[in-house]
Amino acid sequence: RIDQRLDLPLTERQREIHSEALNAASQIANILKRRPLTPAEQNRFMAALQRARMACDAAGLVDKVTEGSPKLDELDNLLDELCRLSGLKAVIFSQWELMTRMVEDRVRRLGLGCVRLHGGVPSARRGDLMDRFRDDDAVQVFIATDAGSTGLNLQNASVLINLDIPWNPAVLEQRIARVHRLGQSRTVQVILLVAADSYEQRVLGLVQGKRHLF
């Protein structure tokens, strides 16, 4: 297993959404210094942090208008090199279903075959998606959310790309274990895309600290 971390800059629009979200969270955190938060305040606090994390992937996850992001552009480069030119199979994870749709669009533009699994896919269809990824050489990319990842056996892939950082370190390890598991005969490249100078970097630090503690 080879782990690689790529730090990518935020666009001006991403930075704008990111800053607004962290400012909103900071204001609520200041209330917490004086008294416990109400349930509504807790919800607003978590929603603000969620917006900051989403902005680290793509501004369009929040404003539903802006197209593209540095992470998606870097993904194009990785898939071109690893899948289109080298013939490898890759698994791509994001927490957000909309991000997986953006990824699918990029993958198809590159001329690569793919399947996409998320929480809305019926259980009866999930086995078919895994079978296509395993058996069809033309299907080189498996795109999934964490909601759709439980129990996946994808060791025919040798590349795993994380587009975002889950809060829970166990979820990150579960993603990796879909590919780096018993039966895997090749070296697995695990690539982590991280927004530079962002809240996501702080989340990654917390996750790594929890992992070391475990």
Side-chain angles (χ1 to χ4, degrees), residues 31-46:
I31 297 173
L32 182 58
K33 295 176 183 177
R34 302 192 304 272
R35 60 167 172 78
L37 298 179
T38 66
E41 288 167 341
Q42 290 176 10
N43 289 339
R44 289 204 304 273
F45 181 70
M46 295 309 297

Side-chain angles (χ1 to χ4, degrees), residues 67-191:
E67 295 185 0
S69 75
K71 284 191 180 183
L72 290 168
D73 293 341
E74 182 61 30
L75 182 65
D76 280 350
N77 296 332
L78 291 169
L79 294 178
D80 187 57
E81 176 186 345
L82 297 169
C83 296
R84 200 177 66 82
L85 297 179
S86 299
L88 302 177
K89 291 203 173 196
V91 177
I92 302 169
F93 271 107
S94 174
Q95 181 174 341
W96 293 286
E97 190 269 338
L98 178 54
M99 188 67 174
T100 66
R101 277 188 267 154
M102 295 178 182
V103 170
E104 182 177 22
D105 183 57
R106 293 293 185 113
V107 171
R108 296 198 183 281
R109 280 193 222 168
L110 285 169
L112 296 169
C114 67
V115 292
R116 187 169 67 92
L117 178 60
H118 52 87
V121 175
S123 298
R125 283 195 54 221
R126 298 185 180 195
D128 176 59
L129 296 181
M130 284 191 287
D131 291 345
R132 286 178 57 198
F133 183 62
R134 183 187 65 235
D135 300 331
D136 189 343
D137 291 339
V139 179
Q140 287 183 261
V141 182
F142 193 103
I143 308 163
T145 64
D146 296 310
S149 68
T150 306
L152 295 183
N153 186 352
L154 303 169
Q155 77 262 33
N156 58 306
S158 55
V159 177
L160 187 136
I161 301 173
N162 290 291
L163 293 175
D164 36 63
I165 316 298
W167 271 112
N168 187 337
V171 174
L172 188 59
E173 289 303 318
Q174 285 167 5
R175 289 180 178 184
I176 296 167
R178 301 308 98 211
V179 176
H180 189 253
R181 60 190 292 141
L182 193 65
Q184 177 60 265
S185 58
R186 291 165 294 183
T187 299
V188 173
Q189 297 182 64
V190 178
I191 301 169

Side-chain angles (χ1 to χ4, degrees), residues 4 25 42 53 61 66 68 99 118 135 162 168 192 199 208:
Q4 181 181 10
Q42 290 176 10
R53 292 177 61 221
L61 291 184
T66 306
M99 188 67 174
H118 52 87
D135 300 331
N162 290 291
N168 187 337
L192 191 60
Y199 178 63
Q208 289 175 332

